[in-house]
Amino acid sequence: SDSEEIWKKIVKFLIRFNQFESALEMLCNIDVEIHWKAFFRAKILHSQGKYHESFESLQFLLASAEEGPFQIEALLLNAKNLYFLFQNFEAEESMLRYIQLKANAISSDNMVFLGLIFMQRKNYSCSQEIFLKIVKKKTKSSISWYLLGICLAKNKKWEMAEEAFLKAKEIDPQFS
């Protein structure tokens, strides 16, 4: 329903700005499906750095929930939990499953995360392709231009890499 979507956006906003107590309090008092409440609790745990607890609750939730849009969000969050838990990008399978489910609606932040997964695995061609897509959509993203420059340099595309680094510096002088 429309009101449920509004409540979910408010809870996401509170979590994004580290207002965890307010988000938890709101979750107790609003009428949204139970699996969304559990998902947001897992997201709060993740935001607090409690990756293992977040991962465990999401695994249980994914096993018991019906298929739906919530699963896409849960898969992505679990991919991030795995990365922070083990620092080794074992999350690629979850991330790729996420992409298959929601190929056209991935946020730029999540695309950056995916690009970093491929960079960590030294797959600079895939990460280059991802960062190219990001800078086409979000032309003012200095970090995306910078990461694109790294990928281009790793792929020995020196002139294009230099252009990407200059673009990052133009947007944000810290990249000098």
Side-chain angles (χ1 to χ4, degrees):
S1 75
D2 288 341
S3 66
E4 184 175 293
E5 288 304 312
I6 291 169
W7 284 118
K8 286 192 271 187
K9 286 180 182 179
I10 292 169
V11 171
K12 285 179 182 178
F13 174 83
L14 291 170
I15 293 170
R16 184 174 191 172
F17 290 98
N18 300 325
Q19 300 298 313
F20 306 125
E21 294 301 318
S22 298
L24 285 170
E25 186 177 322
M26 185 170 282
L27 284 173
C28 292
N29 297 311
I30 61 175
D31 185 29
V32 294
E33 294 179 39
I34 191 75
H35 61 265
W36 277 110
K37 287 185 179 189
F39 169 75
F40 284 128
R41 283 192 185 92
K43 193 167 180 104
I44 290 168
L45 289 168
H46 173 85
S47 298
Q48 294 173 323
K50 299 174 182 174
Y51 307 118
H52 190 270
E53 292 171 52
S54 177
F55 177 80
E56 290 295 321
S57 57
L58 284 169
Q59 287 298 92
F60 176 76
L61 194 55
L62 283 167
S64 62
E66 293 179 22
E67 214 171 295
F70 128 85
Q71 278 190 318
I72 296 165
E73 298 290 329
L75 284 167
L76 178 63
L77 185 56
N78 249 2
K80 289 180 179 179
N81 283 328
L82 286 169
Y83 167 67
F84 287 112
L85 278 169
F86 305 113
Q87 294 291 308
N88 69 5
F89 293 96
E90 289 299 316
E92 186 175 5
E93 185 179 335
S94 291
M95 182 62 78
L96 293 175
R97 188 167 167 211
Y98 171 81
I99 288 168
Q100 290 170 342
L101 293 171
K102 198 173 182 181
N104 295 326
I106 301 173
S107 73
S108 296
D109 290 343
N110 292 333
M111 289 292 285
V112 169
F113 182 71
L114 179 63
L116 290 170
I117 287 173
F118 285 114
M119 285 179 77
Q120 180 70 17
R121 291 179 176 252
K122 299 186 181 352
N123 188 338
Y124 298 108
S125 296
C126 284
S127 56
Q128 174 185 317
E129 187 179 318
I130 289 165
F131 291 119
L132 275 170
K133 286 180 185 177
I134 295 170
V135 298
K136 283 180 183 175
K137 285 184 191 175
K138 204 173 174 185
T139 58
K140 299 268 188 226
S141 173
S142 56
I143 190 71
S144 297
W145 280 105
Y146 180 77
L147 293 169
L148 174 61
I150 292 172
C151 296
L152 290 164
K154 293 289 187 177
N155 288 326
K156 298 182 180 6
K157 296 179 181 177
W158 308 116
E159 288 179 23
M160 291 172 67
E162 183 179 13
E163 288 175 30
F165 288 133
L166 289 172
K167 185 69 175 171
K169 182 181 174 185
E170 177 186 313
I171 296 166
D172 188 346
Q174 82 170 351
F175 288 103
S176 48

